[in-house]
Amino acid sequence: MIKLINAILVFAVLGAAFFMYSLEHSTRGLERQIVKLKSGIKDERETIKLLDAEWASLTRPDRLQKMAEEQLKLQPVKATQIVSTADLGAKIPDAPVIMLSDKTADPIGAMLEKLPQ
Amino acid sequence: MTTTNASDSRTVPPGLAGQNRIRLIGLIFSVFFLLIAVQLGKLTLIHRSDATTAELALPEKAMPRPDIVDRNGAVLATDIEVASLFADPRKISDVDEAVELLTATLPELDGKSLKQRLTTPGKAFVWLKRQTNPEERDAVYNLGIPGVAYVNERKRVYPMGRLAAHTVGYVDVDTKGIAGIEKYLDDQGALYTASLSEPETHTSYPAQLSMDVRVQQAVTDEVAKAVVKYKAKSGGGIVLDTETGEIVALASLPDYNPNSENKNLTSDQQNKLTSGVYELGSVIKAVTFAMAFDSGVMNMNSRYDARFPLVIGTARISDFHAQRKVLTVPEVFTNSSNIGTAKMALQVGLDGHHEFLDRVGLLDKLVTEVPESAKPLLPRHWSKLSSATAAFGHGFAVQPLQGLSVIADLINGGMSIPPTFLKRSKEDAEALAHRIVKADTSEKMRYLFRLNVTDGTATKADVLGYRVGGKTGTAEKVIGGRYSKTQVLATFIGAFPMEKPKYAIFVMLDEPQAVPGTYGFNTAGWNAVPTAANIIERVAPMLGVEPQFTAEDLAKLAKQAKSGAEKKHG
């Protein structure tokens, strides 16, 4: 009887040991994965910061102003060009200025062409 | 005990001798396990001190600095990671070969000095190059020289460059803030910096400024153009939110690039708007007017005799635009009469004047987040003469930001709101505000400011639609102890829209010259005022101020359009 119990216990110990070992092994694997992901996140954060800085540098207003002056024909908005939403109704023309149903022509393109150079 | 045990072992029967042997073995085993346990404890619980060479040589890892962003989140200052290359000479087997390879990869390295540094006995750490770019780092790393490695360091960069450099400030090589908001962040202590940081991810919440980079650019650009156009020595511009005290833009020219390694700032490049004090001249008259209204000695119907210069002791106070008549209160303001304003101050009296200046905060140093802040320069003796001259801004110098802030308080309804460089909500501003003049006084001031733009010295500031009001100042500079006629400081303080001012604006030009188009004048009305008008026209749409036109404005606009059309045809 005692022999049987002993044998069961020995097998139980062996089983438990194996279970423990595999658990620990997988834990270590997960830990390695966590470390890897964490450093990956850190790298991504650094990249984001770098890109943010680059974006800010590319969109800095003095650069945009210089490019707009060189490339675009736009001018600063005059006070007279601003209309409040309440007054907007009065500004809507009765007939649409552009007939978008006319598929063959390019009405917007034509308007752009007409702009003074 | 041991001796008795030993004597026992002789007396016990031989069968039990084995038991002692087992005890001995047990003892040895327990000592052995104890040793392991001690070693284990030492390794895990007690911190290891044998760090790598790089960790030893590097200064303690710097605290992560929070980013600095504008009110809309545009990045003004941030940290980026850069690699710094170093070598451990003890680990390099062939110094000559290493030097050859390194100088071939990094041409800027000097072979001789490098070799000398690498062969210095006892050295365990030599910087090869700080803050390299990723390509250089990889190239050197791929050389595979033992003992050569890199560490990541943090570097502070200012993506917007010169824009808002005076407000943002800069850091030294150890990323310690030494100017502007950067210094403010350090002065708040590690606690404040840490409160912005997340310990887990080592990221931090940014410090958000009240500044709007678009407005900042418009102000900088227009002031820079004005400095060139009017051949001024320097210039400055501020846009202040009168309701919250937020500084939306602050530009002092000439400025500097915070990214450059070697700044060597001249005194000219300092932030003149906060670290310099100036006699602002006539714009200070607004303070005297508010005082006279508020103390009740004057009302809109009062009259001031400006026919003769005012004589106090041996000094004579006369007018620049002499009218030689009895002036009404609005006339004193729009003609910027020194005599009239001085008389107002004398009416209020010495103590009353001093008390009022103290109440509005012109006697104390202005405290904002930016550490570069100058104390006002006051007359040494508060006498009848100094009170009369201080009434129109002579012998009394303040930092321009302080002047603007006080005048903004006088016209915003009479509440004093301390200016700030950090974003602030309206509720917070209201909690900080306290009344300095009656609401009624403030209303009268608004009327006078608007009148001065429609009919006074600042007509060129009338950007149609935005209801601008303002006061000009042309202060003669003290050159060699005397007031100079040709070297002046032209200033303009204005606000818009005048019926309920939302933004106050300040423009300053130092020593502007008379140029073609100003008809021989170097006074503020011909240079600082048009500059302010340009700024308002550009920034008002950005700030969301809705234009409104009176019938008069529309008539003026129609006339302008007509003359413009005629010019085109002619």
Side-chain angles (χ1 to χ4, degrees):
Chain A
M1 189 58 202
I2 283 178
K3 270 187 186 170
L4 186 68
I5 291 171
N6 272 350
I8 289 170
L9 282 178
V10 163
F11 278 110
V13 165
L14 279 177
F18 179 76
F19 179 69
M20 277 283 286
Y21 177 77
S22 60
L23 209 63
E24 204 175 313
H25 186 75
S26 67
T27 314
R28 278 191 191 158
L30 287 172
E31 270 169 1
R32 266 199 297 275
Q33 218 176 335
I34 290 171
V35 169
K36 212 173 138 191
L37 285 174
K38 268 191 178 160
S39 86
I41 289 169
K42 194 172 157 273
D43 284 353
E44 287 303 322
R45 276 187 207 282
E46 281 307 320
T47 316
I48 290 169
K49 281 200 116 174
L50 201 66
L51 290 173
D52 268 347
E54 198 177 337
W55 172 254
S57 164
L58 289 173
T59 56
R60 61 181 196 276
D62 52 330
R63 181 172 178 272
L64 294 185
Q65 185 185 336
K66 195 163 158 272
M67 292 207 308
E69 277 164 6
E70 282 168 6
Q71 308 288 336
L72 303 173
K73 287 171 245 162
L74 300 178
Q75 283 178 351
V77 180
K78 295 265 177 240
T80 43
Q81 290 172 291
I82 299 169
V83 176
S84 70
T85 40
D87 297 341
L88 203 59
K91 303 261 172 181
I92 298 172
D94 296 329
V97 181
I98 302 164
M99 300 299 287
L100 284 177
S101 51
D102 196 359
K103 290 238 169 54
T104 50
D106 180 7
I108 296 174
M111 276 176 84
L112 289 174
E113 292 285 319
K114 265 192 271 176
L115 284 176
Q117 289 299 309
Chain B
M1 274 301 280
T2 38
T3 45
T4 45
N5 271 348
S7 59
D8 283 350
S9 66
R10 276 187 217 114
T11 53
V12 292
L16 286 173
Q19 231 171 19
N20 272 353
R21 212 172 294 157
I22 286 167
R23 276 194 200 138
L24 188 69
I25 290 166
L27 194 73
I28 290 169
F29 263 97
S30 45
V31 166
F32 182 69
F33 276 111
L34 203 70
L35 272 177
I36 291 175
V38 166
Q39 181 68 5
L40 202 69
K42 213 168 115 191
L43 286 176
T44 53
L45 296 177
I46 300 162
H47 196 71
R48 289 178 44 169
S49 62
D50 51 337
T52 59
T53 42
E55 279 167 2
L56 273 179
L58 277 173
E60 216 174 299
K61 256 210 165 154
M63 269 265 205
R65 290 190 76 80
D67 287 359
I68 298 176
V69 299
D70 88 333
R71 66 183 304 116
N72 300 316
V75 179
L76 285 161
T78 185
D79 276 351
I80 57 167
E81 206 159 61
V82 287
S84 286
L85 294 157
F86 69 92
D88 181 354
R90 296 173 307 182
K91 289 185 190 156
I92 298 176
S93 46
D94 188 343
V95 173
D96 287 309
E97 195 200 346
V99 169
E100 206 170 290
L101 282 169
L102 284 171
T103 45
T105 327
L106 303 169
E108 67 273 19
L109 282 182
D110 176 41
K112 245 189 204 154
S113 78
L114 181 65
K115 191 178 169 189
Q116 201 231 319
R117 281 191 293 153
L118 288 181
T119 48
T120 311
K123 255 205 161 171
F125 187 86
V126 172
W127 281 121
L128 296 176
K129 196 186 174 198
R130 303 281 298 260
Q131 305 188 338
T132 59
N133 58 43
E135 289 82 40
E136 281 178 333
R137 179 198 67 195
D138 291 345
V140 172
Y141 194 68
N142 290 338
L143 291 175
I145 308 168
V148 173
Y150 67 86
V151 286
N152 285 330
E153 280 192 296
R154 308 206 65 81
K155 186 190 181 188
R156 195 72 164 161
V157 291
Y158 303 95
M160 297 272 175
R162 287 170 175 273
L163 197 70
H166 283 117
T167 303
V168 175
Y170 50 90
V171 295
D172 63 6
V173 273
D174 299 319
T175 64
K176 193 174 171 313
I178 47 175
I181 291 292
E182 292 276 32
K183 183 161 194 322
Y184 167 78
L185 290 178
D186 279 70
D187 290 347
Q188 297 306 297
L191 208 70
Y192 180 79
T193 321
S195 76
L196 292 170
S197 308
E198 273 182 54
E200 262 300 293
T201 53
H202 294 287
T203 54
S204 52
Y205 294 107
Q208 194 161 34
L209 301 187
S210 55
M211 175 164 295
D212 184 325
V213 289
R214 300 166 305 161
V215 179
Q216 174 72 17
Q217 164 62 14
V219 173
T220 313
D221 189 47
E222 291 300 336
V223 172
K225 278 183 196 158
V227 166
V228 174
K229 187 171 173 194
Y230 304 109
K231 302 195 178 81
K233 257 171 61 182
S234 59
I238 310 173
V239 176
L240 180 80
D241 187 320
T242 56
E243 286 171 358
T244 61
E246 291 175 294
I247 294 155
V248 184
L250 181 142
S252 171
L253 293 173
D255 52 7
Y256 61 89
N257 186 350
N259 288 315
S260 68
E261 301 275 319
N262 211 347
K263 288 181 199 72
N264 283 333
L265 296 190
T266 62
S267 63
D268 238 15
Q269 284 168 300
Q270 278 174 359
N271 186 354
K272 291 183 204 63
L273 300 170
T274 63
S275 66
V277 290
Y278 294 89
E279 289 191 5
L280 294 178
S282 305
V283 293
I284 291 298
K285 281 178 188 157
V287 177
T288 313
F289 271 75
M291 170 180 72
F293 280 133
D294 210 53
S295 63
V297 299
M298 179 175 87
N299 60 42
M300 275 294 176
N301 300 319
S302 304
R303 279 165 199 278
Y304 290 91
D305 185 352
R307 282 176 296 180
F308 312 106
L310 183 66
V311 180
I312 299 172
T314 55
R316 286 159 64 90
I317 293 167
S318 48
D319 278 354
F320 182 77
H321 313 272
Q323 300 294 315
R324 311 225 173 280
K325 63 172 183 176
V326 178
L327 300 171
T328 62
V329 167
E331 277 171 344
V332 174
F333 196 82
T334 53
N335 289 312
S336 199
S337 165
N338 292 344
I339 301 167
T341 323
K343 282 185 172 170
M344 284 173 206
L346 295 178
Q347 249 183 321
V348 173
L350 282 186
D351 293 338
H353 193 183
H354 198 267
E355 187 274 324
F356 188 80
L357 291 181
D358 191 33
R359 197 194 325 161
V360 297
L362 276 173
L363 299 184
D364 307 316
K365 187 171 127 175
L366 176 74
V367 180
T368 61
E369 293 80 8
V370 166
E372 298 84 12
S373 184
K375 262 170 81 172
L377 271 182
L378 305 162
R380 258 185 232 113
H381 306 288
W382 191 246
S383 65
K384 207 173 158 191
L385 179 64
S386 53
S387 163
T389 54
F392 53 88
H394 269 213
F396 164 50
V398 292
Q399 42 166 306
L401 177 63
Q402 191 170 7
L404 175 67
S405 162
V406 166
I407 288 172
D409 294 343
L410 294 179
I411 55 179
N412 76 351
M415 303 299 280
S416 168
I417 301 165
T420 178
F421 285 92
L422 298 181
K423 202 172 181 178
R424 185 193 272 165
S425 71
K426 221 170 161 179
E427 292 74 42
D428 289 349
E430 272 159 16
L432 283 169
H434 66 272
R435 182 159 291 285
I436 49 169
V437 292
K438 295 175 202 125
D440 174 56
T441 305
S442 182
E443 203 182 316
K444 284 176 187 153
M445 293 310 295
R446 287 203 291 273
Y447 167 76
L448 289 178
F449 267 67
R450 178 72 185 133
L451 187 73
N452 195 37
V453 168
T454 50
D455 302 301
T457 52
T459 45
K460 287 186 187 300
D462 199 9
V463 184
L464 293 178
Y466 292 122
R467 296 92 74 202
V468 182
K471 179 85 193 80
T472 58
T474 308
E476 293 163 357
K477 285 176 74 174
V478 180
I479 308 287
R482 300 182 65 90
Y483 282 107
S484 161
K485 289 277 169 216
T486 49
Q487 281 150 301
V488 299
L489 181 82
T491 52
F492 173 77
I493 288 183
F496 61 96
M498 215 54 219
E499 71 278 359
K500 192 179 187 302
K502 178 81 178 94
Y503 294 98
I505 181 170
F506 173 85
V507 173
M508 169 177 103
L509 291 170
D510 192 5
E511 292 184 26
Q513 311 291 317
V515 294
T518 67
Y519 304 98
F521 289 107
N522 64 356
T523 49
W526 292 95
N527 41 53
V529 174
T531 309
N534 290 343
I535 294 173
I536 293 169
E537 192 161 25
R538 266 175 81 168
V539 304
M542 291 177 199
L543 295 170
V545 177
E546 255 185 52
Q548 281 168 17
F549 297 96
T550 59
E552 222 173 295
D553 289 342
L554 291 174
K556 267 190 205 168
L557 279 171
K559 210 170 135 193
Q560 275 176 13
K562 209 175 152 194
S563 70
E566 269 166 17
K567 247 182 226 161
K568 234 180 220 170
H569 290 295

